[in-house]
Amino acid sequence: MRLIAENLTCVRGGRTLFRNLDFEVAAGRALLVTGPNGAGKSSLLRLLAGLLRPAAGRIALEGSEPGQPAGVSAHFIGHLDAAKGALRAAENLAFMQALLGGGGRTVAEALRAVGLDGLAEVPVRMFSAGQRRRLALARLIVAPRPLWLLDEPTTALDAEGQETFAALAAKHLAGGGIVVAATHAPLKISAQEIRLGAGGAA
Amino acid sequence: MRLIAENLTCVRGGRTLFRNLDFEVAAGRALLVTGPNGAGKSSLLRLLAGLLRPAAGRIALEGSEPGQPAGVSAHFIGHLDAAKGALRAAENLAFMQALLGGGGRTVAEALRAVGLDGLAEVPVRMFSAGQRRRLALARLIVAPRPLWLLDEPTTALDAEGQETFAALAAKHLAGGGIVVAATHAPLKISAQEIRLGAGGAA
Amino acid sequence: MIAALRAVFVRDLMIAFRVGGGAGIGVVFFLALVTVIPFAIGPDLPLLARIGPAVLWIGALLASLLGLDRIFSADHDDGSLDVLLLAPVPLELIAAAKGAAHWVATGLPLVIAAPLLGLLLGLEPRMLGAIALTLLLGTPALTFFGLVGAALAVALPRGGLLVAVLILPLTIPVLIFGVAATVGAAGGPVPFDMPLRLVGALSLATFVIGPVAAAAAIRQIRD
Amino acid sequence: MIAALRAVFVRDLMIAFRVGGGAGIGVVFFLALVTVIPFAIGPDLPLLARIGPAVLWIGALLASLLGLDRIFSADHDDGSLDVLLLAPVPLELIAAAKGAAHWVATGLPLVIAAPLLGLLLGLEPRMLGAIALTLLLGTPALTFFGLVGAALAVALPRGGLLVAVLILPLTIPVLIFGVAATVGAAGGPVPFDMPLRLVGALSLATFVIGPVAAAAAIRQIRD
Amino acid sequence: MAFYELANPHRFMTLARCLTPACAVAAVVLLAVGFVLGFRAPADYQQGETVRIMYIHVPAAWLGLGIYTLMAISALGTLVWRHPLADVAAKAAAPIGAGFTLICLLTGALWGRPMWGAYWVWDARLTSMLVLFLLYLGILALWRAIEEPGQAGRAVAILTLVGFINVPIVKFSVDWWNTLHQPASVFRIDGPTIHPAILAPLLVTTLGFAALFVALHLAAMRNEILRRRVRTLRLLAAAEAR
Ligand code: HEM
Ligand SMILES: Nc1ncnc2c1ncn2[C@@H]1O[C@H](COP(=O)(O)OP(=O)(O)OP(=O)(O)O)[C@@H](O)[C@H]1O
Ligand SMILES: Nc1ncnc2c1ncn2[C@@H]1O[C@H](COP(=O)(O)OP(=O)(O)OP(=O)(O)O)[C@@H](O)[C@H]1O
Ligand SMILES: [Mg+2]
Ligand SMILES: [Mg+2]
């Protein structure tokens, strides 16, 4: 398994965010995407997930089923938590499991892993920001996928939550998975790094 | 000017988050609210802003017009950025200025201060997470208010953005303002600290 | 304070026009509705003329309902409701400004287009003016009653039907008097001005009741 | 794959019932609507009976429109649309599942309640069954055409009126044949079964066109 | 630089600059000739002088229908071939098509007053034209609602195609609906078999209106391209300001 980006160019709103980006991430390795606000970190993750089309270049996930877009083998956790406030935590997570194909930990196990076991039956509407984020991370383990694309995964997490995340990521890497994470904060996982545009906030 | 909380108890969703909290913040001082996810940091800020009612206790902002709830002398920046995607950055900020009473810096100055001067005419829908956060912070200076209530103000900000925020906060404090900020990350402002519940994420 | 209210009004209007398809969308909606209804009823011009006022009033009701459930909940979802609550302006007035913007985007276009649409429905010439007048006096009541429903649904992401159910019963008097006034104008059994005054009175009352109840609902519901 | 689609369907239904006021809300809405319309038209029972099928069909149209604009945009706003796009299930089928859930929450209650409401409107007994049958066959077409409009407005926070404008013209054939079949059942000038078959055919066609076009729109619009 | 969306239309711009005046001149000449011929043509024995409305009404109807077809083809161009000019063409055509459709409706209504004694009847053909007008308005609204031109273009393309598939169905159903409820109570407009003396000026004015459309369309396309160029430059300038 190997994630390859060749010659990637990203244009958004008529502006070129980056051009001719090349990188490779091997199985068991992590890539941190850093750079100032507006540099295009989130955009790069969306490209890798197949949620955006590159203006030029190629993305491939070697070792996954050929012809499949990289996105279907990937988890994507963006700035938003993709949880429905009207549903309970367990219901939200069970939905994600069914939608994404399952095959990983059970809902109860996953909730325990992210420290939400006491809140399984609480509607997500009542969650604090960090609790919502933890729920989003739980998605990663109810349906195993080789590639994790994470946009500032530790936002709103407390110190313990950040440890939990680091442990999850470490375990995923140890199992031969790949992690690509955009971040402004240190992530406590050993990783190669790619720094986007030095242009500043705009 | 002095922010006083006496004997504050907060109950949400039937659960007591904290009880009998007492603190005072004098003019020119900052208070950091820390604690694990779900401890009640955001809830405390909402109490102080008057957006929630305390189950018991009293909040007062000495030195503001008597009888006024503390909220009207306060800026509140929550987890959400309160910006309309359909409007341009300058339009959003001008709205906030008119709504909150104005009297501070102009929209253009404020956008420059948070490093968004190039994006004044761009619809906020196109903003990156950090750019949205910068726009939210710009609200603080278009309409001066003595009390700033900030929920994880540096989320999604890059290193330079965090410096910008620290500078804004320092200036506000130097002018006799008060800052109360909930945070998981160090904020680079000298402050007293209050730590809520050690109960963990649940 | 006036500046703050104007800002709320202008902002809501700008959003409605930008993302809603422009200033003409209300008129287009009514045109579409008036075109669709004969397909359900049949191309029977006398019948259409007979129920024409009702069709236009139901169109107004619909226009007030569509998107109404988002008036406050969109602001709730993106956090701007918190800021509105901290503004140095009573929430009642802010609610009124938002209602006014919604009316301008949805009710007013109907008032303007009504005479033309009346032609399509074969209304008598004397009725054309009357329908515009009654709609002008009556549609604000629909929107401002609607405000209460929208406020009750503030925290609901998809409260469309619920809001409709809450406010439909409230709008019945407006409908009755509005249609009666229009029919009266064409020499119907009832005089024109009595129901018209009642419609106006209802609108005036909702100008107060709507925003006050909506503000109370928002304050109570947000915990 | 079936499990994934069922999950989407169940989730949307759960949300509709929990935040929208429960399973009965659709019936209550139609009851309110059918109660309101006589007030607008006047208590003229033969006239009401004459336009009864139209009233029920317009009620169905209304119910399909209210809240429809949020089908996809609510998911867009909270990030779940991204996850739906990464599911190992074609977006077309997901759109269909979401449409089905919307129909169950809004169209189906009308089908069930229609005979009862028909009684209120003074429909002939022979028509009561017919109206339920035509609505059963026809309302899915309304929802699934609506899906296209909802997808086109996916990124718009308040696209209610716009969505209505986009899909009203598309629903005209459904209305025409639906009402015609109902009237035909009561011994009108046309036979019952021909328009009924056409309604069914239209629904079948929209089962394909609606989700395919909606999925295409979502893919194309999200950049 | 994001000139990828601007690069291609270069040749088109030059071409359009030459063609626009030529078409405009052709339109003026043809319309003048057509109207003169039309006024020389005999008045209809049944409809009198009002028959001359036809020289505007019928070409407007044809163009209203034709332009929608053109937009449907452009929609394919946008979605299938991803041609950069396709959505520009579609966007420029929409208001013009709506305009011609409106002219058809208005002249028809004015004509209907003396002919049928009412400005409007729910006749099948009239109503399907009204539905076409609604489709145009929906398309215009959607163009306005989505700010990013590329996105808006693709969204409108889908709407245009769905509408296009639907047009025959609407037409068919409306015919059927109409004959159902109102058998031949209305004066049928397709009545008079057209006399050559009327047909000639009709064809000439139709050509004239078509030339007018081409001129307007090319000019509108040029404007749209320039507008997009300005927009891109403004976004770029915004980006480089810092
Ligand atoms: C608002 C009202 C009207 C509308 C929307 C309308 C619409 C149309 C349309 C769409 C066509 C082109 C049809 C085709 O070529 O297939 C057309 C043609 C025509 N219309 Fe009208 N029309 C209206 C009123 C009238 C009236 C009042 C008359 C005269 C009594 C009239 C006479 C004609 C004639 C003679 C043609 C050409 C017939 C042909 O090409 O076979 N129209 N109209
Ligand atoms: N609207 C609500 N209704 C009921 N309970 C709520 C609501 N919002 C939050 N809570 C509960 O109150 C507790 C505190 O939430 P709060 O948002 O104040 O936490 P926090 O300290 O800000 O956490 P974080 O670090 O995750 O932001 C949580 O357990 C949460 O589940
Ligand atoms: N939907 C969009 N349409 C057009 N432009 C966009 C869109 N989203 C983002 N952009 C622009 O693309 C640039 C990069 O955005 P992106 O979200 O990728 O930045 P980022 O590196 O993740 O920043 P942050 O650290 O603030 O999250 C920004 O300048 C932004 O304005
Ligand atoms: Mg980002
Ligand atoms: Mg918090």
Side-chain angles (χ1 to χ4, degrees):
Chain A
M1 176 113 337
R2 175 184 293 273
L3 175 70
I4 302 173
E6 266 172 20
N7 224 351
L8 224 50
T9 300
C10 175
V11 179
R12 287 196 96 172
R15 213 157 67 74
T16 306
L17 296 182
F18 49 80
R19 56 170 68 246
N20 304 337
L21 202 64
D22 283 294
F23 59 82
E24 283 191 25
V25 193
R29 301 296 307 272
L31 174 72
L32 292 191
V33 185
T34 62
N37 290 142
K41 301 179 293 298
S42 302
S43 305
L44 175 59
L45 289 180
R46 298 185 80 83
L47 280 180
L48 295 177
L51 296 170
L52 279 182
R53 250 183 301 268
R58 196 178 73 91
I59 297 163
L61 187 64
E62 265 180 16
S64 69
E65 286 170 53
Q68 284 275 62
V72 181
S73 310
H75 274 299
F76 172 82
I77 297 189
H79 287 296
L80 299 164
D81 294 315
K84 292 287 176 193
L87 305 183
R88 302 164 206 283
E91 287 168 347
N92 264 299
L93 200 53
F95 165 71
M96 288 296 176
Q97 188 174 43
L99 180 72
L100 297 174
R105 314 266 281 277
T106 68
V107 167
E109 283 168 5
L111 285 175
R112 189 158 340 110
V114 296
L116 291 178
D117 31 346
L119 300 177
E121 298 306 321
V122 175
V124 168
R125 178 172 34 80
M126 297 194 174
F127 271 27
S128 78
Q131 289 164 343
R132 294 178 77 98
R133 199 67 184 164
R134 284 162 184 255
L135 182 62
L137 293 177
R139 197 160 89 214
L140 296 171
I141 50 179
V142 290
R145 295 194 162 192
L147 175 59
W148 288 5
L149 303 169
L150 311 176
D151 204 351
E152 306 193 30
T154 57
T155 311
L157 291 186
D158 60 15
E160 184 233 309
Q162 300 185 15
E163 297 296 342
T164 307
F165 166 71
L168 287 182
K171 193 158 167 214
H172 179 62
L173 294 173
I178 298 179
V179 174
V180 181
T183 185
H184 294 294
L187 278 193
K188 294 187 190 159
I189 49 179
S190 69
Q192 56 196 98
E193 187 177 323
I194 182 170
R195 196 174 162 79
L196 295 179
Chain B
M1 177 119 329
R2 175 184 294 273
L3 175 70
I4 302 172
E6 267 172 20
N7 223 353
L8 224 50
T9 301
C10 175
V11 179
R12 287 196 96 173
R15 217 159 62 75
T16 304
L17 296 183
F18 48 80
R19 58 169 71 246
N20 304 337
L21 203 65
D22 283 294
F23 59 83
E24 281 192 25
V25 194
R29 300 296 307 273
L31 173 72
L32 292 191
V33 185
T34 61
N37 291 141
K41 302 180 292 298
S42 302
S43 305
L44 174 59
L45 290 180
R46 298 185 80 83
L47 281 180
L48 295 176
L51 296 169
L52 279 183
R53 251 183 301 269
R58 194 179 75 91
I59 297 162
L61 188 64
E62 263 180 18
S64 69
E65 286 170 53
Q68 284 274 63
V72 181
S73 309
H75 274 299
F76 173 80
I77 298 190
H79 286 297
L80 299 163
D81 293 315
K84 292 287 175 191
L87 304 184
R88 302 163 205 285
E91 288 168 347
N92 264 299
L93 201 53
F95 165 71
M96 288 298 177
Q97 189 174 40
L99 180 72
L100 298 173
R105 314 267 281 277
T106 68
V107 168
E109 283 168 3
L111 286 176
R112 189 159 339 113
V114 297
L116 291 178
D117 33 347
L119 300 177
E121 298 305 320
V122 175
V124 169
R125 178 172 36 80
M126 297 193 176
F127 272 25
S128 78
Q131 289 165 343
R132 294 178 77 98
R133 199 67 186 164
R134 285 163 183 254
L135 183 62
L137 293 177
R139 196 159 88 214
L140 296 171
I141 50 180
V142 290
R145 294 192 164 194
L147 174 59
W148 287 5
L149 303 169
L150 311 175
D151 204 349
E152 305 194 31
T154 57
T155 311
L157 291 184
D158 59 15
E160 185 232 309
Q162 299 185 16
E163 297 294 344
T164 306
F165 166 72
L168 287 182
K171 195 159 164 211
H172 178 62
L173 293 172
I178 298 178
V179 174
V180 180
T183 184
H184 296 293
L187 278 193
K188 293 187 191 157
I189 48 179
S190 69
Q192 57 198 95
E193 190 176 321
I194 183 171
R195 195 173 163 79
L196 296 179
Chain C
M1 190 150 108
I2 302 295
L5 292 177
R6 193 178 47 220
V8 173
F9 176 79
V10 170
R11 178 188 75 147
D12 268 34
L13 215 52
M14 251 165 28
I15 294 174
F17 285 166
R18 283 217 193 131
V19 304
I25 195 74
V27 177
V28 179
F29 170 74
F30 294 119
L31 186 61
L33 196 77
V34 166
T35 313
V36 163
I37 283 180
F39 287 114
I41 288 176
D44 179 342
L45 213 51
L47 177 62
L48 285 173
R50 157 87 178 71
I51 63 168
V55 167
L56 291 173
W57 270 96
I58 288 171
L61 191 60
L62 253 181
S64 312
L65 287 180
L66 279 171
L68 183 77
D69 57 309
R70 296 290 292 159
I71 282 197
F72 296 110
S73 72
D75 282 354
H76 174 267
D77 291 353
D78 66 15
S80 25
L81 195 56
D82 291 337
V83 186
L84 292 176
L85 283 162
L86 294 192
V89 192
L91 188 58
E92 284 76 7
L93 295 181
I94 292 181
K98 289 178 78 71
H102 189 260
W103 180 77
V104 169
T106 62
L108 187 59
L110 174 60
V111 174
I112 295 168
L116 191 72
L117 301 178
L119 271 184
L120 286 182
L121 291 170
L123 292 194
E124 288 173 39
R126 261 191 303 178
M127 258 193 203
L128 297 182
I131 183 85
L133 185 63
T134 52
L135 285 172
L136 179 65
L137 289 180
T139 45
L142 300 181
T143 303
F144 279 78
F145 269 133
L147 225 46
V148 185
L152 290 170
V154 63
L156 308 182
R158 275 163 63 184
L161 270 184
L162 181 67
V163 172
V165 166
L166 294 178
I167 60 186
L168 271 178
L170 299 180
T171 57
I172 289 178
V174 188
L175 274 185
I176 295 179
F177 295 130
V179 175
T182 319
V183 175
V190 275
F192 172 59
D193 56 343
M194 208 273 275
L196 191 71
R197 278 204 208 117
L198 286 173
V199 169
L202 277 173
S203 270
L204 285 181
T206 56
F207 283 150
V208 180
I209 298 173
V212 168
I218 290 176
R219 290 217 190 82
Q220 294 297 329
I221 288 178
R222 298 170 54 81
D223 69 328
Chain D
M1 190 151 107
I2 302 294
L5 292 177
R6 193 179 46 221
V8 172
F9 175 80
V10 170
R11 179 189 73 148
D12 269 34
L13 214 53
M14 251 163 33
I15 294 174
F17 285 164
R18 283 214 194 135
V19 305
I25 195 76
V27 177
V28 178
F29 170 74
F30 293 119
L31 191 60
L33 195 78
V34 168
T35 322
V36 162
I37 283 181
F39 283 115
I41 287 176
D44 178 345
L45 210 53
L47 177 62
L48 282 176
R50 156 87 178 74
I51 63 170
V55 167
L56 290 172
W57 269 95
I58 288 171
L61 190 60
L62 262 179
S64 311
L65 286 180
L66 281 171
L68 183 77
D69 58 308
R70 296 291 293 160
I71 283 196
F72 296 111
S73 72
D75 282 354
H76 173 267
D77 291 353
D78 67 14
S80 26
L81 195 57
D82 290 335
V83 186
L84 292 176
L85 283 162
L86 293 192
V89 192
L91 188 58
E92 285 76 7
L93 296 181
I94 291 181
K98 290 179 77 71
H102 189 260
W103 179 77
V104 169
T106 62
L108 188 59
L110 174 61
V111 174
I112 295 168
L116 192 71
L117 302 178
L119 272 183
L120 285 183
L121 290 169
L123 291 193
E124 289 174 39
R126 261 192 303 178
M127 257 193 203
L128 296 181
I131 184 86
L133 184 63
T134 53
L135 285 172
L136 180 66
L137 287 180
T139 45
L142 300 180
T143 303
F144 279 77
F145 266 132
L147 225 45
V148 185
L152 290 169
V154 61
L156 308 181
R158 274 164 63 185
L161 271 185
L162 180 68
V163 171
V165 163
L166 297 181
I167 59 186
L168 274 177
L170 301 181
T171 56
I172 288 173
V174 187
L175 272 186
I176 292 178
F177 296 130
V179 175
T182 318
V183 175
V190 276
F192 171 60
D193 58 342
M194 211 273 272
L196 191 71
R197 275 200 212 120
L198 287 172
V199 170
L202 277 173
S203 270
L204 285 181
T206 56
F207 284 151
V208 180
I209 297 175
V212 168
I218 290 174
R219 289 214 192 84
Q220 295 290 337
I221 289 176
R222 298 170 54 82
D223 70 331
Chain E
M1 294 285 116
F3 285 114
Y4 74 103
E5 57 173 16
L6 310 180
N8 207 332
H10 249 37
R11 272 218 317 274
F12 168 79
M13 293 298 273
T14 355
L15 196 68
R17 208 170 318 142
C18 312
L19 273 179
T20 310
C23 287
V25 170
V28 170
V29 172
L30 285 168
L31 284 178
V33 171
F35 285 140
V36 169
L37 282 180
F39 273 98
R40 293 252 189 81
D44 192 272
Y45 75 99
Q46 209 179 10
Q47 309 184 14
E49 295 296 327
T50 54
V51 76
R52 305 196 196 285
I53 295 181
M54 186 173 76
Y55 302 123
I56 298 175
H57 173 80
V58 176
W62 286 340
L63 277 169
L65 293 164
I67 293 172
Y68 194 87
T69 314
L70 184 86
M71 283 165 47
I73 296 170
S74 301
L76 284 179
T78 301
L79 293 177
V80 181
W81 302 295
R82 298 197 163 262
H83 193 283
L85 276 180
D87 64 334
V88 176
K91 183 171 187 184
I96 310 176
F100 277 117
T101 309
L102 183 62
I103 290 174
C104 170
L105 285 168
L106 290 180
T107 53
L110 289 177
W111 201 356
R113 181 69 184 169
M115 296 285 73
W116 307 328
Y119 289 108
W120 185 261
V121 291
W122 293 95
D123 168 82
R125 181 188 252 170
L126 274 58
T127 311
S128 12
M129 208 59 185
L130 185 57
V131 173
L132 180 68
F133 185 57
L134 285 178
L135 285 174
Y136 270 120
L137 292 179
I139 285 168
L140 288 175
L142 194 58
W143 271 118
R144 293 204 37 163
I146 305 179
E147 202 170 330
E148 170 75 44
Q151 262 173 43
R154 296 187 296 263
V156 170
I158 289 168
L159 180 64
T160 311
L161 285 178
V162 173
F164 193 68
I165 304 170
N166 208 45
V167 162
I169 303 180
V170 170
K171 178 87 183 88
F172 157 65
S173 62
V174 168
D175 280 338
W176 195 77
W177 163 71
N178 207 245
T179 51
L180 166 66
H181 293 278
Q182 209 183 1
S185 74
V186 182
F187 171 74
R188 301 291 297 174
I189 36 181
D190 43 17
T193 45
I194 291 185
H195 194 276
I198 296 179
L199 187 62
L202 183 61
L203 288 181
V204 177
T205 48
T206 302
L207 279 180
F209 277 113
L212 179 65
F213 163 69
V214 175
L216 289 174
H217 190 221
L218 288 178
M221 281 179 75
R222 281 192 43 183
N223 282 342
E224 176 62 20
I225 290 172
L226 292 175
R227 224 182 346 256
R228 288 187 187 186
R229 205 169 277 181
V230 168
R231 184 178 178 279
T232 312
L233 288 176
R234 215 180 49 212
L235 283 174
L236 281 177
E240 272 149 21
R242 28 184 315 107

